[in-house]
Structures are given as structure tokens and as C-alpha cells.
Amino acid sequence: IRESMGVELNIDQPILGFARRITSYKRPELLFSDVECLRAIARRTPFQIIFAGKAHPQDLEGKEHITRIHAALRALAPEIKSVYLTNYNM
């Protein structure tokens, strides 16, 4: 992640990860349903977030999920280190 994305993660902190095809039925934004709760948890027990995944080219809703996930990760950036891996592929 450091080499490909330029993000240095802390090896001593837990990682919450989501690496899937981004589509609505997989509920990719569920983690961000309560951002203030995430912040409170991170203050007590710091953690990191890694997201990866693509939407099907014709899945406009999936692409919107990705846009909202990026916005959520940016909003959490001061408190929670996170990264969205580009070009994720099995």
C-alpha cells in the first residue's frame, strides 16, 4: 500500500477491510452509517480502513457508492487513516 498508494499504515493498529465488487446488495457503505460512532471508537481504539473494489461498468449505482465511500474516507481522514486501493482485481 505504501508503494502503490503512498499511504503508510501502522502495523500495530487493526485494519477494517472491504474488498469486493462494489454493488448495492453488498452494502458497501454500511461501515459509514454512523460516522460519529466510528470516530468515538477510533479515539478509544485506533484502527485503519482499507477499501478496494470496482463497480461493473454499467452499474451506475455502484459507481455512486464508490464516490460516497471516497467522500466518507476523506471526512474521516483526520481521525482514521484509510485508503481506497485503485485497480483492485482478483
Side-chain angles (χ1 to χ4, degrees):
I1 291 173
R2 179 181 54 237
E3 292 173 13
S4 64
M5 301 300 298
V7 176
E8 182 79 33
L9 296 178
N10 184 337
I11 62 170
D12 296 322
Q13 288 182 355
I15 295 172
L16 300 178
F18 187 95
R20 308 278 305 188
R21 169 76 67 183
I22 303 297
T23 188
S24 291
Y25 79 89
K26 294 181 182 178
R27 302 182 71 188
E29 294 178 75
L30 185 61
L31 178 63
F32 308 110
S33 61
D34 190 343
V35 174
E36 289 310 314
C37 183
L38 276 179
R39 287 185 172 121
I41 293 168
R43 282 191 293 274
R44 287 191 319 269
T45 307
F47 63 91
Q48 304 160 109
I49 301 172
I50 298 175
F51 257 79
K54 296 179 185 178
H56 186 278
Q58 296 175 346
D59 183 0
L60 299 179
E61 199 172 334
K63 292 177 183 181
E64 290 172 9
H65 284 299
I66 292 171
T67 299
R68 289 191 297 268
I69 290 167
H70 277 284
L73 293 176
R74 279 193 304 276
L76 292 169
E79 297 96 355
I80 302 170
K81 189 174 286 195
S82 60
V83 63
Y84 196 109
L85 301 178
T86 57
N87 299 317
Y88 172 76
N89 194 333
M90 292 293 287

